[in-house]
Amino acid sequence: MDASSIIESLNDAQTEAVTAPNKALLVLAGAGSGKTRVLVHRIAWLVKVEQVSAHSILAVTFTNKAAKEMLGRVEDMLAMPARGMWVGTFHSIAHRLLRAHYRDAGLPEGFQILDAQDQLRVIKRVMKELNLDDNEWPPKQAQWFINAKKDDGLRPGNIQHHGDFFVSTMVKVYYAYEEACKTAGLVDFNELLLRAYELWANNPHLLKHYQERFQHILVDEFQDTNAIQYAWIRLLCHEGNRITIVGDDDQSIYGWRGAKIENIQQFENDFPDCKISRLEQNYRSTSTILKAANAVISYNSDRMGKSLWTEGNEGEPITIYSAFNEQEEARFIAARIEDWVQQGNSYNDIAILYRSNAQSRILEDAMLNRNIPYRIYGGLRFFERAEIKDTMAYLRLMTNRDDDASFERVVNTPARGLGEKSVDLIRAKAREDETSLWQAASKMVVDQLLPPRARTAMAGFLHLINELDSSTKEVDLWEQTEVVIEHSGLMDKVSKEKGEKAQARKENLQELVNATREFDPDEMIPEETPDMTPLMAFIAHASLEAGDTQADEYQESVQMMTLHSAKGLEFPLVFIAGMEEKLFPHQMSLDEPGGLEEERRLAYVGITRAMQQLYLTHAEKRRMWGRETYPSVSRFISEIPAELMTEVRLNTQVQRPVFQKQSPIKRKGPEGFHLGQLVQHPKFGKGIIINYEGEGPQASVQVNFEKEGLKKLMLAYAKLEPSS
DNA sequence: ACCACCTGTTATTAT
DNA sequence: AACAGGTGGT
């Protein structure tokens, strides 16, 4: 087999990693060093050269996007489908295992996944039943508590509360929540991981089966694994297996959801003869961008140590822009985007990154104003929209009548006369009988335990679900969905609403039908669960991949997303907006131990997304939660060496005193001039220095004159004088 | 029981 | 600024 084709395009370090014969391989891969490439090529190497069966390979990633990309690239290299190979996120793989072995995992066959929204609803209900006042005991806090415990692999019985009132109350909620999930056949995200772990830990024969099957384990983004994920990998990794992990401690940005950077060090301890391979050559960014990233991250302590370098050219300086306010910041970005495209470049090259989703609105407005096509990732995603969740709730009930979360959601949506009172009666009955709401409701209808009106309405609802289910057993998924949208009355309800949003909702429902049409069940139903219906597969897909926010995937567009979701991506032109203290680094993280360092890693991730040009923008005035704030410039900007940056200040259409403020970045300019300095010119009058380049006789400055606007002047000739 | 309107609260990051 | 939850009228 031709080995050279797999390694010919790789550098020495990459080749070493791809071909390593070791049992355990740890690849410390800096940003832009070809991490995914190494993984893809290593899989190809295993299959083509070492003649390993794809069937014995397990590759784990952190996002569905990454999984899809990896599989696609592997198949391209192999020039054939990688049949039998498991590639997916920890969550999707855990889900797959639990479906295949639901009995051993102690789950009902039709168990369903609870997303964060659903989870919070269930917790709220449970807390209400425990008579916990939700002002004193915010449900969000309980949600956070439960998830954090699950991240660490702890069941309520394993939590020591030492008489602490807070902890013991939370544990009570945790117990009750578990009970609620159990009767309803619901599994939250973290439960997927924890159950999958327990499945193996408690069933040695199953574990043995998978240990023997997965001779080759590869894990991407290892710095993002949490305790339970690591434990799960450790279980699977048996003496005979080979394991490759790839990670970068400087890009660990998920500590808040339980990720442990220490897992990388732990790996070295657990696999003492593991080979460590470092990828330090960056192929992505200009040296300027890389230097800036290295400088920022160097402010962190406790790094594993790694020095990224590049053969790339210096490129453009990093541009800092101080906007008057957030609108103007957005307009500035839009204008730069137009410049970029006018120079013959593509919208696809561009990303706008921000710390929090709330920032996307204003940026979005600016794009709309200038007719710049854009695509927002994150925020409220498709499968999280109310009308979509409603429809999914019907579909879920059709699959699993005991799904209490879905039952509660749609029992009175659209309104059918089953108000809070009636549902309370059902809830009480369910609690009494220790059954699901569906079963309680059925019993009460039969036993005539409800007031006549409610009884009729409830009977109607139960019948509707049964009817939807039985009448669509034989039809395609998309038709099934269409029938549900029509017969449930959801379409009618949405059609009757007025306003712009109603139209969008209608379109979303239409879009859902399209999504089911495009959904390929053959691809999504794993070999080991052939009984899975296309509907079940679709529901799982909807829960595990909330879906992107917008359609039009094929149109060229600017990509807008949070810094977190930008990890793993790269763009020639990158804007990072909102470089302000308390926004980035975020206030919330400043209060947490280690929070600032994680924010700094996030800054590192952001900076290293840029290939050619990077803009860092901030606003001097920003509206936050309705109030005006005057944030100071993010410390991360001051951590970048001044010689790598240039600051622009434009005289924009915003009405304000032009020479209002000194720039926060103070740099020495040539011949005693500096950025932001006011100057006087014999012909052009008063102006402010916004940029300069070159030294000595070559030095030139860019000045924004009050009257004449932007001018570029050679310092040697222009008779510029400082002014006040 | 339902709807419209008002009020208080609340925005980090996400599988 | 936006949304969930609560209040009061029908």
Side-chain angles (χ1 to χ4, degrees), chain A residues 407-435:
Chain A
F407 186 98
E408 291 227 20
R409 183 167 188 109
V410 293
V411 66
N412 200 32
T413 308
R416 51 173 68 84
L418 288 162
E420 208 46 34
K421 273 262 170 60
S422 313
V423 180
D424 270 343
L425 289 172
I426 306 291
R427 274 198 280 258
K429 176 73 176 161
R431 217 172 335 152
E432 190 191 315
D433 295 1
E434 295 187 333
T435 60

Side-chain angles (χ1 to χ4, degrees), chain A residues 231-432:
Chain A
W232 186 80
I233 291 282
R234 283 291 289 129
L235 273 184
L236 182 62
C237 206
H238 179 248
E239 281 155 36
N241 312 62
R242 279 166 67 188
I243 179 162
T244 301
I245 69 165
V246 181
D248 179 359
D249 56 314
D250 290 334
Q251 293 190 65
S252 163
I253 54 176
Y254 286 103
W256 51 273
R257 58 175 219 212
K260 301 235 187 310
I261 321 184
E262 310 89 89
N263 284 346
I264 303 185
Q265 279 110 334
Q266 190 59 43
F267 185 84
E268 285 185 65
N269 295 337
D270 290 348
F271 298 85
D273 49 1
C274 87
K275 174 177 174 55
I276 301 179
S277 205
R278 282 165 193 272
L279 304 181
E280 297 182 308
Q281 182 176 3
N282 173 294
Y283 292 95
R284 180 185 292 156
S285 311
T286 64
S287 67
T288 301
I289 290 167
L290 204 57
K291 274 184 205 159
N294 281 337
V296 170
I297 199 68
S298 72
Y299 281 82
N300 272 1
S301 48
D302 289 333
R303 297 173 57 216
M304 294 187 80
K306 183 168 34 54
S307 49
L308 269 184
W309 58 279
T310 178
E311 284 177 353
N313 49 24
E314 194 182 341
E316 299 292 318
I318 293 163
T319 309
I320 312 297
Y321 181 65
S322 304
F324 174 55
N325 60 21
E326 70 271 32
Q327 275 91 9
E328 207 244 317
E329 177 187 44
R331 277 198 298 268
F332 170 82
I333 291 172
R336 297 288 77 71
I337 289 172
E338 285 190 331
D339 292 348
W340 176 268
V341 172
Q342 263 162 29
Q343 284 160 29
N345 298 301
S346 162
Y347 288 116
N348 285 341
D349 296 346
I350 309 167
I352 309 175
L353 310 180
Y354 36 81
R355 176 66 233 267
S356 71
N357 283 308
Q359 287 168 258
S360 65
R361 258 199 119 74
I362 287 146
L363 293 162
E364 191 177 0
D365 285 346
M367 299 303 125
L368 281 170
N369 265 324
R370 299 242 187 178
N371 277 321
I372 295 172
Y374 63 90
R375 206 171 132 77
I376 295 182
Y377 290 84
L380 229 216
R381 281 173 294 194
F382 185 73
F383 286 108
E384 291 168 359
R385 289 159 203 246
E387 60 280 10
I388 301 301
K389 292 211 74 161
D390 289 342
T391 312
M392 294 308 297
Y394 277 94
L395 292 168
R396 288 166 68 128
L397 273 178
M398 286 157 62
T399 309
N400 170 15
R401 302 287 194 284
D402 295 333
D403 181 341
D404 284 354
S406 297
F407 186 98
E408 291 227 20
R409 183 167 188 109
V410 293
V411 66
N412 200 32
T413 308
R416 51 173 68 84
L418 288 162
E420 208 46 34
K421 273 262 170 60
S422 313
V423 180
D424 270 343
L425 289 172
I426 306 291
R427 274 198 280 258
K429 176 73 176 161
R431 217 172 335 152
E432 190 191 315

Side-chain angles (χ1 to χ4, degrees), chain A residues 62 91 116 143-152 189-190 223-226 251-262 355 357 381 562-565 567 586 588-590 592-599 601-602:
Chain A
F62 267 79
H91 291 88
Q143 182 181 31
W144 185 86
F145 179 90
I146 291 169
N147 286 336
K149 294 304 164 197
K150 287 191 180 183
D151 277 332
D152 288 340
F189 284 134
N190 284 0
Q223 75 283 352
D224 290 333
T225 50
N226 65 22
Q251 293 190 65
S252 163
I253 54 176
Y254 286 103
W256 51 273
R257 58 175 219 212
K260 301 235 187 310
I261 321 184
E262 310 89 89
R355 176 66 233 267
N357 283 308
R381 281 173 294 194
T562 62
L563 287 151
H564 282 88
S565 36
K567 191 162 73 151
H586 200 279
M588 300 285 191
S589 57
L590 289 174
E592 293 160 18
L596 177 61
E597 301 223 320
E598 182 152 312
E599 293 288 299
R601 291 192 290 270
L602 191 55

Side-chain angles (χ1 to χ4, degrees), chain A residues 5-169:
Chain A
S5 70
I6 296 175
I7 54 172
E8 66 188 355
S9 58
L10 305 175
N11 68 25
D12 289 351
Q14 290 172 335
T15 305
E16 194 183 84
V18 164
T19 60
N22 308 57
K23 288 228 144 142
L25 170 67
L26 161 57
V27 183
L28 286 175
S33 63
K35 174 173 68 84
T36 310
R37 225 158 153 239
V38 163
L39 274 174
V40 168
H41 284 243
R42 182 158 175 82
I43 293 171
W45 176 269
L46 291 172
V47 174
K48 276 180 118 171
V49 180
E50 295 196 21
Q51 304 283 313
V52 164
S53 158
H55 189 78
S56 64
I57 296 176
L58 170 70
V60 192
T61 62
F62 267 79
T63 63
N64 293 297
K65 218 196 281 175
K68 233 181 263 168
E69 189 188 329
M70 187 185 298
L71 185 61
R73 281 169 66 173
V74 166
E75 290 184 339
D76 282 352
M77 281 206 84
L78 299 177
M80 60 175 190
R83 281 181 55 97
M85 189 164 101
W86 280 34
V87 185
T89 61
F90 274 105
H91 291 88
S92 70
I93 287 167
H95 174 246
R96 190 169 170 176
L97 278 173
L98 295 177
R99 284 279 172 219
H101 309 287
Y102 64 91
R103 276 199 197 90
D104 291 311
L107 290 169
E109 187 172 9
F111 78 87
Q112 308 206 339
I113 302 165
L114 211 54
D115 70 15
Q117 263 179 44
D118 301 334
Q119 186 190 33
L120 186 60
R121 280 168 174 262
V122 174
I123 290 172
K124 272 185 190 167
R125 210 196 77 215
V126 156
M127 291 180 81
K128 211 173 200 173
E129 282 168 10
L130 290 173
N131 287 319
L132 292 170
D133 176 58
D134 49 357
N135 282 319
E136 206 179 338
W137 301 96
K140 278 227 165 127
Q141 196 177 38
Q143 182 181 31
W144 185 86
F145 179 90
I146 291 169
N147 286 336
K149 294 304 164 197
K150 287 191 180 183
D151 277 332
D152 288 340
L154 296 173
R155 293 290 180 194
N158 305 326
I159 300 168
Q160 303 290 318
H161 57 262
H162 306 294
D164 181 294
F165 186 52
F166 172 78
V167 179
S168 63
T169 308

Side-chain angles (χ1 to χ4, degrees), chain A residues 425-455:
Chain A
L425 289 172
I426 306 291
R427 274 198 280 258
K429 176 73 176 161
R431 217 172 335 152
E432 190 191 315
D433 295 1
E434 295 187 333
T435 60
S436 66
L437 294 172
W438 176 274
Q439 289 173 37
S442 306
K443 196 148 196 316
M444 290 180 89
V445 167
V446 173
D447 298 350
Q448 315 223 345
L449 296 170
L450 284 168
R453 275 192 174 196
R455 179 176 180 263

Side-chain angles (χ1 to χ4, degrees), chain A residues 465-589:
Chain A
I465 299 293
N466 286 333
E467 195 57 29
L468 284 172
D469 185 23
S470 60
S471 70
T472 58
K473 278 255 186 299
E474 303 298 319
V475 305
D476 284 343
L477 176 60
W478 70 266
E479 215 174 326
Q480 205 171 13
T481 311
E482 205 169 61
V483 168
V484 167
I485 292 174
E486 277 308 322
H487 288 62
S488 62
L490 285 174
M491 189 48 106
D492 274 353
K493 177 177 184 279
V494 167
S495 301
K496 276 185 201 128
E497 288 173 15
K498 36 192 186 285
E500 288 169 37
K501 283 190 181 163
Q503 185 58 31
R505 282 180 198 205
K506 239 172 127 173
E507 283 164 15
N508 285 338
L509 288 176
Q510 209 51 60
E511 189 56 38
L512 180 62
V513 178
N514 292 341
T516 54
R517 266 181 202 266
E518 279 161 32
F519 184 76
D520 180 1
D522 294 338
E523 215 173 273
M524 302 305 290
I525 297 175
E527 63 208 72
E528 66 282 356
T529 45
D531 292 343
M532 205 168 173
T533 63
L535 177 57
M536 283 165 74
F538 183 71
I539 293 170
H541 166 81
S543 314
L544 286 170
E545 279 190 64
D548 289 327
T549 328
Q550 323 220 322
D552 295 347
E553 218 174 309
Y554 307 102
Q555 201 194 352
E556 285 213 344
S557 54
V558 173
Q559 318 288 302
M560 295 169 54
M561 66 190 87
T562 62
L563 287 151
H564 282 88
S565 36
K567 191 162 73 151
L569 307 176
E570 60 180 26
F571 304 90
L573 173 60
V574 169
F575 297 88
I576 304 181
M579 295 292 299
E580 293 145 35
E581 285 291 306
K582 299 190 177 171
L583 183 56
F584 188 34
H586 200 279
Q587 175 77 65
M588 300 285 191
S589 57

